[in-house]
Amino acid sequence: MGKGVIGCDSWTYAFLHRVIGIDGAPVFTLQSMEGEQLARYFAQIAAHSGQPPPVYSTRTGKQVLFDSASEQKSKAPNKELQRLAAHCRGHIGLAWHYWRERLREPKADNEEALWLVDALAEAELAVDTGDIATLVMHALLVHGGLDDDSLGEVLPFSHHEALNARLALQRKGIVSSCEGRWQIAPLSYASVRQLLESRNYLVDPL
């Protein structure tokens, strides 16, 4: 293949490593985010929109995110964000989706703070999830998302079977559409990866 640089996500890297072997090539990956880093990241994002309100936990009533990035730096990392980082395995993209979905507007009109709900009802995968649905989910992760036509081309099933499996996963909230391509929904990612790993499918190394 000659010398070059390949930029890809962790699932594509796992696939390339399995198919062509890239043991001798240097690999650089993004560092996993911990609770303190997430706190600074979210505070910086909020600061770009002006003067952001503080964020409190509905579970503990304590402040999770402060109303300025500078104030956040002077505080110890909050346990809520440490739990979030651990649940998302340090994946900043997943953590961002969880953060956005868990934020709630205040109930009182005169309250300026935001509230972070304790947990979300994540889509759950049945233990008896079939082989077709499992391969559909795996294909979506390895290929970084696929449209319906492409999904039928990369799987060893008929297009009708692949489409039916995708529709079933969509109804359960496991997959969602993004710019015409079906992808694993962010809040389903952890459950899907766990299922694939338990069935000895190729998974990413992160």
Side-chain angles (χ1 to χ4, degrees), residues 1 4-14 16 22 26-29 142:
M1 295 177 64
V5 176
I6 298 176
C8 63
D9 64 19
S10 57
W11 288 87
T12 303
Y13 173 78
L16 291 174
I22 49 178
V27 178
F28 300 92
T29 62
V142 170

Side-chain angles (χ1 to χ4, degrees), residues 164-182:
N164 281 343
R166 195 272 295 162
L167 286 170
L169 292 170
Q170 181 187 0
R171 286 193 294 268
K172 295 178 181 179
I174 304 297
V175 302
S176 58
S177 178
C178 180
E179 298 180 352
R181 295 164 65 89
W182 293 101

Side-chain angles (χ1 to χ4, degrees), residues 77-91:
N78 189 281
K79 289 184 178 180
E80 296 290 343
L81 291 174
Q82 290 176 334
R83 291 173 59 202
L84 176 60
H87 183 73
C88 297
R89 299 166 61 244
H91 193 298

